[in-house]
């Protein structure tokens, strides 16, 4: 998707608008999953989950999600900038994301793409996870497109890498990989291509 910062003129606040890329417009199943999962994620209310305000279709082919806009940076950019984080900082962020995942799992929603790129952290240290449900829409459509694995192979659980059944434990595995990366500055498994990394998992 492509994400824009926008102004909600009615409520006088900034929002983030995520618009599905044009290459997915012909895949009706994908769009159906995109809408269904986004609507399900919109029902989640938790201080560590980015709020979804609206899901819809603008015109004939603009599928969008209107979300809370959060000032700050992604956890991936923090790790890139710092190299390694302190144990206390990593534990604090991990606890916040674990709490968010517990809320989602209690509501039968699996994230399926927990990674530092999907975690936003503001200046006060509040961490919020985003992109709930969109990852499921991707993984339901296909895991492999040419030689590239759709999703985030460095954070996949073994069952995701196999294309098997995924549940809440898969999210926790991915969170474990994120924790490892926060304290070491690198992912535990890396390789020349996505398939080799998946095999390591």
């Amino acid at each position: 998707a492509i994400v824009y910062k926008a102004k909600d003129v009615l409520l006088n606040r900034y929002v983030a608008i995520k618009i599905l890329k044009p290459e997915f417009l012909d895949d009706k199943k994908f769009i159906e999953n995109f809408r269904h999962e986004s609507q399900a994620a919109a029902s989640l209310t938790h201080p560590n989950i980015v709020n979804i305000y609206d899901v819809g279709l603008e015109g004939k082919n603009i599928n969008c999600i209107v979300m809370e806009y959060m000032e700050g940076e992604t956890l991936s950019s923090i790790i890139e900038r710092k190299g390694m984080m302190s144990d206390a900082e990593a534990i604090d962020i991990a606890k916040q994301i674990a709490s968010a995942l517990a809320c989602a799992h209690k509501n039968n929603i699996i994230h399926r793409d927990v990674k530092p790129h999907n975690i936003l952290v503001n200046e006060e240290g509040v961490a919020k996870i985003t992109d709930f449900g969109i990852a499921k829409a991707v993984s339901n459509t296909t895991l492999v497109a040419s030689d590239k694995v759709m999703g985030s192979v460095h954070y996949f659980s073994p069952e995701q890498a196999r294309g098997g059944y995924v549940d809440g434990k898969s999210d926790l595995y991915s969170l474990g990989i994120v924790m490892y990366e926060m304290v070491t500055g690198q992912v535990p498994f890396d390789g020349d291509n996505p398939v080799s990394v998946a095999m390591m998992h």
Side-chain angles (χ1 to χ4, degrees), residues 93-168:
I93 289 172
K95 283 170 67 176
Q96 292 181 67
I97 299 308
S99 178
L101 292 174
C103 171
H105 297 164
K106 187 177 171 185
N107 287 279
N108 299 313
I109 296 174
I110 313 302
H111 191 286
R112 289 172 171 81
D113 199 19
V114 176
K115 60 182 179 180
H117 310 72
N118 287 338
I119 297 169
L120 302 170
V121 183
N122 69 13
E123 287 185 358
E124 290 76 42
V126 175
K128 294 194 179 200
I129 191 162
T130 188
D131 275 359
F132 265 93
I134 297 167
K136 182 180 179 188
V138 172
S139 62
N140 274 355
T141 303
T142 180
L143 281 176
V144 180
S146 66
D147 63 343
K148 185 180 173 192
V149 174
M150 295 288 283
S152 308
V153 72
H154 289 96
Y155 306 92
F156 268 172
S157 64
E159 58 273 21
Q160 280 176 291
R162 285 193 307 267
Y165 176 76
V166 176
D167 63 11

Side-chain angles (χ1 to χ4, degrees), residues 4 8 27 30-31 38 43 52 73 82 105 197:
Y4 297 92
D8 180 340
D27 191 332
F30 185 97
I31 291 173
S38 301
S43 67
I52 295 178
E73 61 183 320
K82 289 188 173 184
H105 297 164
V197 178

Side-chain angles (χ1 to χ4, degrees), residues 76-90:
S76 59
S77 66
I78 294 172
I79 294 169
E80 193 175 313
R81 180 167 44 81
K82 289 188 173 184
M84 296 186 302
M85 299 169 70
S86 71
D87 291 352
E89 193 177 8

Side-chain angles (χ1 to χ4, degrees), residues 38-77:
S38 301
Q39 286 166 348
S43 67
L44 295 175
T45 303
H46 190 277
N48 301 112
I49 296 175
V50 171
N51 288 308
I52 295 178
Y53 299 137
D54 198 10
V55 180
L57 179 67
E58 184 70 27
K60 289 185 178 178
N61 57 6
I62 301 177
N63 290 275
C64 61
I65 301 173
V66 182
M67 303 177 293
E68 168 188 6
Y69 174 77
M70 184 174 166
E71 288 280 0
E73 61 183 320
T74 62
L75 180 56
S76 59
S77 66

